[in-house]
Amino acid sequence: PRALVPSCPRALVPSCPRSDEAPNHLSLLAFAAMEPDTDILPGPAPDTIVGWREWLALPTLGVAAIKAKIDSGARSSALHVVRQERFHRDGVPWVRFTVESDGPGSPSVECEAPVIDERNVTDSGGHTTKRPFIRTEVRLGALQWPIEVNLTDRRHMLFPMLLGRTAMQQRLLVDPARSYVHGARPEDET
């Protein structure tokens, strides 16, 4: 049988605890993310560790910076929009929407995107609503990858965006004791 916390070569996985050491919170996260039959914990690359909140960009939507909660408890990602207008373009459903990247009163960005799906989403209060999902690119520091995100009204929430676990899967390791690991608000690209 495997040990609860395996002994790992320090050269390969510096954050891996040994049985005679108290594990740190990051090494326990890595242990929890390990594949069932893995003997050595994977060592995350430094740019894959994120705090519980980060500044992101949505370059394909023209959003240079948006404050996001990194939420492993949420399956899907959510983006605050102040209005939505559905329409069809060449027989394909699209949505036109406005993003306020830093809360009410902040500069807004007008966006359009094809609707890839509509799904029921249950919020943290247990309320289920049908929401449109779009596909877009997200950028965190030097990393950029495609995600699916649902559009909703988050005006009463602290963060205009949630990055859910399907967007993080196999890419990011969350350190819940840290914030803005990838730096302050990115500057607008002009």
Side-chain angles (χ1 to χ4, degrees):
R2 290 177 51 197
L4 179 60
V5 179
S7 178
C8 301
R10 281 268 178 229
L12 293 176
V13 187
S15 65
C16 180
R18 295 185 185 185
S19 58
D20 61 340
E21 297 178 43
N24 65 41
H25 62 280
L26 195 55
S27 61
L28 288 179
L29 287 172
F31 180 71
M34 194 169 79
E35 293 296 320
D37 291 325
T38 304
D39 289 327
I40 296 178
L41 294 174
D47 62 350
T48 61
I49 297 169
V50 296
W52 70 273
R53 56 187 173 174
E54 293 287 347
W55 282 101
L56 305 176
L58 304 171
T60 52
L61 295 178
V63 178
I66 189 163
K67 196 173 3 175
K69 180 178 180 184
I70 311 302
D71 192 351
S72 63
R75 176 181 294 142
S76 59
S77 298
L79 178 62
H80 170 63
V81 297
V82 291
R83 67 168 185 82
Q84 294 183 46
E85 177 188 340
R86 308 285 185 95
F87 64 99
H88 282 78
R89 182 175 287 160
D90 299 323
V92 176
W94 279 63
V95 62
R96 184 175 294 119
F97 53 96
T98 304
V99 176
E100 288 179 340
S101 60
D102 204 11
S106 67
S108 59
V109 179
E110 300 294 321
C111 306
E112 289 184 351
V115 175
I116 61 166
D117 200 6
E118 285 195 54
R119 300 181 204 139
N120 286 328
V121 176
T122 303
D123 65 21
S124 59
H127 306 98
T128 301
T129 55
K130 186 167 249 170
R131 299 182 189 174
F133 278 74
I134 65 166
R135 186 168 287 121
T136 190
E137 295 278 318
V138 64
R139 184 172 35 224
L140 170 68
L143 302 174
Q144 187 168 320
W145 69 96
I147 64 166
E148 291 182 359
V149 63
N150 69 70
L151 307 178
T152 189
D153 181 348
R154 294 182 48 82
R155 81 182 100 174
H156 300 296
M157 304 296 185
L158 291 174
F159 296 90
M161 185 170 176
L162 284 183
L163 190 68
R165 66 180 176 265
T166 56
M168 293 186 271
Q169 197 168 23
Q170 312 249 331
R171 294 182 193 278
L172 305 177
L173 183 61
V174 180
D175 182 345
R178 297 174 67 189
S179 294
Y180 305 115
V181 173
H182 291 266
R185 178 187 175 109
E187 297 298 319
D188 290 346
E189 296 175 7
T190 53

